[in-house]
Amino acid sequence: MKPISFKRHRFPAAVIRHAVWLYYRFTLSFRDVEELLAQRGIEVSYETVRCWTLKFGPQIAANLRRRRCLPTGRWHLDEMYVRIGGQKMWLWRAVDDEGEVLDVLVQKRRNKHAALKLLRRLLKNQGIHPETITTDKLASYGAAVRELGLKGVHRPGGMRENNRAENSHLAIRRRERKQQKFKSQGSAQRFLATHGPIYNTFNLQPHLIGRSTLRQFRAEAHRAWTAAAAAA
Protein backbone atom coordinates (compact mmCIF):
# COMPACT_ATOMS: atom_id res chain seq x y z
CA MET A 1 0.00 0.00 0.00
CA LYS A 2 1.14 3.53 -0.71
CA PRO A 3 1.75 5.69 2.38
CA ILE A 4 -0.16 8.97 2.39
CA SER A 5 1.53 12.34 2.78
CA PHE A 6 -0.17 14.79 5.15
CA LYS A 7 2.57 17.41 4.81
CA ARG A 8 1.74 21.13 4.67
CA HIS A 9 -1.54 20.62 6.53
CA ARG A 10 -2.16 22.63 9.69
CA PHE A 11 -4.01 19.83 11.46
CA PRO A 12 -2.37 16.56 12.57
CA ALA A 13 -2.78 13.49 10.38
CA ALA A 14 -4.86 11.78 13.10
CA VAL A 15 -7.49 14.55 12.96
CA ILE A 16 -7.67 14.44 9.17
CA ARG A 17 -7.99 10.64 9.12
CA HIS A 18 -10.73 10.75 11.74
CA ALA A 19 -12.72 13.38 9.82
CA VAL A 20 -12.50 11.38 6.59
CA TRP A 21 -13.50 8.19 8.44
CA LEU A 22 -16.54 9.86 10.02
CA TYR A 23 -17.79 11.19 6.68
CA TYR A 24 -17.51 7.97 4.72
CA ARG A 25 -18.28 5.53 7.51
CA PHE A 26 -21.55 7.13 8.66
CA THR A 27 -24.38 8.95 6.93
CA LEU A 28 -23.12 12.42 7.85
CA SER A 29 -22.87 15.75 6.10
CA PHE A 30 -19.76 17.94 6.17
CA ARG A 31 -21.46 20.17 8.74
CA ASP A 32 -22.20 17.12 10.90
CA VAL A 33 -18.52 16.19 10.88
CA GLU A 34 -17.60 19.80 11.72
CA GLU A 35 -19.95 19.65 14.72
CA LEU A 36 -18.56 16.33 15.96
CA LEU A 37 -15.00 17.62 15.75
CA ALA A 38 -16.00 20.85 17.52
CA GLN A 39 -17.42 18.80 20.39
CA ARG A 40 -13.90 17.40 20.82
CA GLY A 41 -12.38 20.88 20.82
CA ILE A 42 -11.19 20.79 17.19
CA GLU A 43 -12.28 23.92 15.36
CA VAL A 44 -12.34 23.19 11.64
CA SER A 45 -14.75 24.43 8.96
CA TYR A 46 -17.00 22.13 6.96
CA GLU A 47 -15.28 23.35 3.79
CA THR A 48 -11.96 22.09 5.12
CA VAL A 49 -13.57 18.73 5.86
CA ARG A 50 -14.85 18.65 2.27
CA CYS A 51 -11.33 19.28 0.93
CA TRP A 52 -9.92 16.53 3.15
CA THR A 53 -12.46 13.99 1.91
CA LEU A 54 -11.77 14.87 -1.73
CA LYS A 55 -7.99 14.66 -1.33
CA PHE A 56 -7.47 11.79 1.09
CA GLY A 57 -10.63 9.70 0.68
CA PRO A 58 -9.69 8.26 -2.75
CA GLN A 59 -6.13 7.50 -1.59
CA ILE A 60 -7.31 5.61 1.48
CA ALA A 61 -9.97 3.79 -0.56
CA ALA A 62 -7.34 2.72 -3.12
CA ASN A 63 -5.17 1.28 -0.33
CA LEU A 64 -8.14 -0.56 1.16
CA ARG A 65 -8.98 -1.97 -2.26
CA ARG A 66 -5.44 -3.30 -2.65
CA ARG A 67 -5.47 -5.16 0.66
CA ARG A 68 -8.91 -6.77 0.31
CA CYS A 69 -9.16 -10.46 -0.51
CA LEU A 70 -10.55 -11.47 -3.88
CA PRO A 71 -14.37 -11.40 -4.02
CA THR A 72 -16.41 -14.48 -4.80
CA GLY A 73 -17.25 -15.33 -8.40
CA ARG A 74 -21.01 -15.08 -7.87
CA TRP A 75 -21.84 -11.57 -9.06
CA HIS A 76 -25.11 -9.65 -8.81
CA LEU A 77 -25.65 -6.70 -11.15
CA ASP A 78 -28.36 -4.08 -10.97
CA GLU A 79 -29.04 -0.50 -11.98
CA MET A 80 -30.89 2.19 -10.04
CA TYR A 81 -32.41 5.45 -11.19
CA VAL A 82 -30.90 8.70 -9.86
CA ARG A 83 -31.51 12.34 -10.72
CA ILE A 84 -28.28 14.35 -10.88
CA GLY A 85 -28.36 18.06 -11.62
CA GLY A 86 -31.93 17.71 -12.81
CA GLN A 87 -30.96 15.04 -15.33
CA LYS A 88 -32.09 11.41 -15.26
CA MET A 89 -29.13 9.03 -14.92
CA TRP A 90 -28.50 5.42 -14.00
CA LEU A 91 -26.27 4.07 -11.29
CA TRP A 92 -24.95 0.66 -12.36
CA ARG A 93 -23.67 -1.43 -9.46
CA ALA A 94 -22.15 -4.87 -9.01
CA VAL A 95 -21.87 -6.81 -5.73
CA ASP A 96 -20.92 -10.38 -4.94
CA ASP A 97 -23.09 -12.85 -3.08
CA GLU A 98 -21.65 -11.70 0.28
CA GLY A 99 -22.59 -8.06 -0.32
CA GLU A 100 -19.10 -6.88 -1.27
CA VAL A 101 -19.33 -3.87 -3.58
CA LEU A 102 -17.36 -4.75 -6.72
CA ASP A 103 -17.82 -1.65 -8.86
CA VAL A 104 -20.07 1.37 -9.33
CA LEU A 105 -20.60 3.26 -12.57
CA VAL A 106 -22.74 6.36 -13.13
CA GLN A 107 -24.02 6.47 -16.73
CA LYS A 108 -26.57 8.41 -18.73
CA ARG A 109 -28.00 5.37 -20.52
CA ARG A 110 -29.67 2.11 -19.58
CA ASN A 111 -28.72 0.10 -22.65
CA LYS A 112 -26.37 -2.58 -23.96
CA HIS A 113 -23.42 -0.18 -24.20
CA ALA A 114 -23.77 0.79 -20.53
CA ALA A 115 -24.03 -2.86 -19.45
CA LEU A 116 -20.97 -3.74 -21.52
CA LYS A 117 -18.94 -0.97 -19.93
CA LEU A 118 -19.71 -2.24 -16.43
CA LEU A 119 -19.00 -5.88 -17.30
CA ARG A 120 -15.70 -5.04 -19.01
CA ARG A 121 -14.57 -3.06 -15.95
CA LEU A 122 -15.46 -6.00 -13.72
CA LEU A 123 -13.60 -8.53 -15.86
CA LYS A 124 -10.55 -6.26 -15.99
CA ASN A 125 -10.37 -5.21 -12.34
CA GLN A 126 -11.65 -8.14 -10.25
CA GLY A 127 -8.95 -10.63 -11.18
CA ILE A 128 -11.33 -13.62 -11.32
CA HIS A 129 -13.71 -15.10 -13.86
CA PRO A 130 -17.37 -15.03 -12.77
CA GLU A 131 -19.07 -18.29 -11.80
CA THR A 132 -22.53 -16.75 -12.15
CA ILE A 133 -23.84 -13.31 -13.13
CA THR A 134 -27.30 -12.69 -11.67
CA THR A 135 -29.28 -9.76 -13.09
CA ASP A 136 -32.85 -8.61 -13.48
CA LYS A 137 -34.66 -9.23 -16.75
CA LEU A 138 -33.35 -6.12 -18.50
CA ALA A 139 -32.56 -7.16 -22.08
CA SER A 140 -29.36 -5.06 -22.11
CA TYR A 141 -27.67 -7.55 -19.79
CA GLY A 142 -28.48 -10.46 -22.08
CA ALA A 143 -27.06 -8.66 -25.10
CA ALA A 144 -23.91 -7.66 -23.20
CA VAL A 145 -23.13 -11.14 -21.82
CA ARG A 146 -23.66 -12.71 -25.26
CA GLU A 147 -21.14 -10.30 -26.79
CA LEU A 148 -18.59 -11.13 -24.08
CA GLY A 149 -19.16 -14.88 -24.32
CA LEU A 150 -20.61 -15.14 -20.81
CA LYS A 151 -24.07 -16.43 -21.68
CA GLY A 152 -23.39 -19.72 -19.91
CA VAL A 153 -23.01 -18.03 -16.50
CA HIS A 154 -25.81 -15.49 -16.89
CA ARG A 155 -28.78 -15.94 -14.53
CA PRO A 156 -31.56 -13.46 -15.37
CA GLY A 157 -34.35 -13.33 -12.82
CA GLY A 158 -36.71 -11.19 -10.80
CA MET A 159 -36.20 -9.16 -7.63
CA ARG A 160 -36.09 -12.27 -5.43
CA GLU A 161 -33.21 -13.84 -7.35
CA ASN A 162 -31.31 -10.53 -7.37
CA ASN A 163 -32.24 -9.48 -3.85
CA ARG A 164 -28.59 -9.13 -2.84
CA ALA A 165 -28.06 -6.28 -5.33
CA GLU A 166 -31.44 -4.68 -4.59
CA ASN A 167 -30.70 -4.49 -0.85
CA SER A 168 -27.22 -3.07 -1.44
CA HIS A 169 -28.80 0.07 -2.94
CA LEU A 170 -30.13 1.14 0.46
CA ALA A 171 -26.84 2.57 1.72
CA ILE A 172 -26.52 4.68 -1.44
CA ARG A 173 -30.09 5.95 -1.15
CA ARG A 174 -29.39 7.09 2.42
CA ARG A 175 -26.31 9.02 1.30
CA GLU A 176 -28.18 10.51 -1.65
CA ARG A 177 -30.88 11.87 0.68
CA LYS A 178 -28.31 13.21 3.17
CA GLN A 179 -26.46 15.06 0.42
CA GLN A 180 -29.75 16.36 -1.01
CA LYS A 181 -29.01 14.50 -4.24
CA PHE A 182 -25.73 14.28 -6.11
CA LYS A 183 -24.69 17.50 -7.82
CA SER A 184 -22.95 16.17 -10.94
CA GLN A 185 -22.09 12.91 -12.65
CA GLY A 186 -18.39 13.35 -11.89
CA SER A 187 -18.85 14.13 -8.20
CA ALA A 188 -21.26 11.20 -7.81
CA GLN A 189 -18.76 8.82 -9.46
CA ARG A 190 -15.89 10.08 -7.26
CA PHE A 191 -17.90 9.77 -4.06
CA LEU A 192 -19.26 6.29 -4.82
CA ALA A 193 -15.86 4.96 -5.97
CA THR A 194 -14.42 6.07 -2.62
CA HIS A 195 -17.40 5.00 -0.53
CA GLY A 196 -17.41 1.41 -1.86
CA PRO A 197 -14.07 0.13 -0.46
CA ILE A 198 -14.66 1.87 2.88
CA TYR A 199 -18.17 0.43 3.08
CA ASN A 200 -16.78 -3.04 2.32
CA THR A 201 -14.22 -2.76 5.11
CA PHE A 202 -16.75 -1.87 7.81
CA ASN A 203 -19.76 -3.85 6.53
CA LEU A 204 -19.54 -6.54 9.22
CA GLN A 205 -23.20 -7.71 9.14
CA PRO A 206 -23.47 -7.95 12.96
CA HIS A 207 -26.92 -9.57 12.76
CA LEU A 208 -25.29 -12.73 11.40
CA ILE A 209 -22.49 -13.17 13.95
CA GLY A 210 -21.97 -13.30 17.71
CA ARG A 211 -20.54 -10.50 19.83
CA SER A 212 -17.09 -12.06 20.24
CA THR A 213 -16.78 -12.56 16.47
CA LEU A 214 -18.04 -9.02 15.89
CA ARG A 215 -15.33 -7.64 18.17
CA GLN A 216 -12.68 -9.52 16.21
CA PHE A 217 -14.03 -8.37 12.84
CA ARG A 218 -14.37 -4.79 14.04
CA ALA A 219 -10.80 -4.74 15.35
CA GLU A 220 -9.56 -6.12 12.03
CA ALA A 221 -11.53 -3.47 10.11
CA HIS A 222 -9.94 -0.70 12.17
CA ARG A 223 -6.48 -2.21 11.68
CA ALA A 224 -7.09 -2.24 7.94
CA TRP A 225 -8.17 1.42 8.05
CA THR A 226 -5.11 2.41 10.11
CA ALA A 227 -2.77 0.65 7.67
CA ALA A 228 -4.50 2.16 4.62
CA ALA A 229 -4.36 5.68 6.08
CA ALA A 230 -0.79 5.46 7.40
CA ALA A 231 1.26 8.63 6.96
CA ALA A 232 4.37 8.69 4.80
Side-chain angles (χ1 to χ4, degrees), residues 168-184:
S168 73
H169 293 324
L170 297 177
I172 302 303
R173 286 297 189 200
R174 286 194 293 268
R175 297 307 300 245
E176 183 188 24
R177 288 194 297 270
K178 189 66 177 180
Q179 296 181 21
Q180 299 179 9
K181 299 189 181 297
F182 299 116
K183 303 303 185 290
S184 70

Side-chain angles (χ1 to χ4, degrees), residues 71-98:
T72 71
R74 296 176 291 278
W75 299 351
H76 294 255
L77 277 58
D78 195 34
E79 71 292 336
M80 58 182 279
Y81 160 79
V82 289
R83 185 167 290 277
I84 300 177
Q87 184 177 0
K88 183 177 181 179
M89 292 192 183
W90 295 93
L91 178 58
W92 295 73
R93 300 179 70 249
V95 300
D96 69 8
D97 63 330
E98 295 181 351

